[in-house]
Structure formats: C-alpha cells, structure tokens
Amino acid sequence: MERRPVFIDCDPGIDDAVALMMAFQAAELDVRGISAVAGNVGLERTLGNALKIVELSGAAAPVYAGADRPMFGAPIAAEHFHGEDGLLGAELPAPVRMPEAGPAWEALRREAEVPPLQKAECAQERPALTVSLTYA
C-alpha cells in the first residue's frame, strides 16, 4: 500500500491529541510534519502538547511552531472545555525534544515542493494562518 504524505496543522487539545495518535497509527498515512497553532489554548501550550503526543506515540514527525493567532479577529480559546493546558490536566512526561527551527509555513512549503510530496495534503481542523502564509 502506498502511504499518503500528510502535514498536519492542528491546535492540540484533547481532540487533536487523539487525532494525532490515530494518524501515527494509520498504515496509509506518512505524517511528514506537524504545525501546532494557537487555538484551544495558546501556542506555547499547543506546541508543548504536540511534542508530548509525538513522543508518547513513538513517532518521528517533526513539530513546528505555527500561527500564534488567527489571521483575522481576536483569538477564541477553549480552556473551558480542554482545560488550561489543553489536555484536561493529563499528566504526560515533559517532552525531551524541542520544536524544529523555523516557522511551520516554511516547512510546509518545503515539503510541498519535494517530489512526491507535491501531492501532499495538509490536514487541518479549520482555516489557519499557517496554510495561508505557505501559499502566499
């Protein structure tokens, strides 16, 4: 089976944590990178959550810092649902690895330019600044 390359743009709260773990286990997906953006909670938390989930899953996908705010309008967080840390206080080990250098939009652009990743898909929950900047 040919694995489909994907670059996942997300704001890891409890929902995206589950989605990331499922993507890492999906035999048909090749997760080429993760862009953590502000959303459910601020960027510092979502970036840390993405790193924790990658390590917990034993995955090798690089994690990049994405947009720290929406392109338009004020940020709308969801701490009331996801908790202050975005993971409802789940006690996960602190990540050992650090985010990759450079902004997520540059990494997504690089991945999209390299064959066979010209057909790479960007999976995202909602419109994000990261994708917009990549194709500007």
Side-chain angles (χ1 to χ4, degrees), residues 13-14 41 45 49 52 79 81-92:
I14 53 177
V41 293
R45 298 274 175 112
N49 291 347
K52 290 175 184 179
E79 286 98 349
F81 184 80
H82 294 272
E84 287 186 31
D85 66 351
L87 297 175
L88 286 176
E91 295 184 21
L92 300 178

Side-chain angles (χ1 to χ4, degrees), residues 5-123:
V6 295
F7 195 103
I8 302 173
D9 189 67
C10 58
D11 60 339
I14 53 177
D15 54 341
D16 288 348
V18 172
L20 286 171
M21 289 187 281
M22 291 175 66
F24 296 140
Q25 294 300 313
E28 65 273 12
L29 297 180
D30 177 15
V31 180
R32 302 304 303 260
I34 298 166
S35 166
V37 300
N40 294 320
V41 293
L43 179 59
E44 183 177 322
R45 298 274 175 112
T46 60
L47 189 56
N49 291 347
L51 291 165
K52 290 175 184 179
I53 297 304
V54 168
E55 288 184 9
L56 179 69
S57 301
V63 177
Y64 299 88
D68 63 352
R69 64 188 176 282
M71 188 180 244
F72 303 105
I76 301 172
E79 286 98 349
H80 63 281
F81 184 80
H82 294 272
E84 287 186 31
D85 66 351
L87 297 175
L88 286 176
E91 295 184 21
L92 300 178
V96 174
R97 61 192 281 188
M98 299 296 291
E100 301 295 319
W105 64 268
E106 286 181 353
L108 177 56
R109 181 188 48 77
R110 280 192 310 270
E111 286 290 334
E113 290 176 348
V114 177
L117 296 179
Q118 290 172 337
K119 296 180 182 177
E121 294 182 22
C122 180

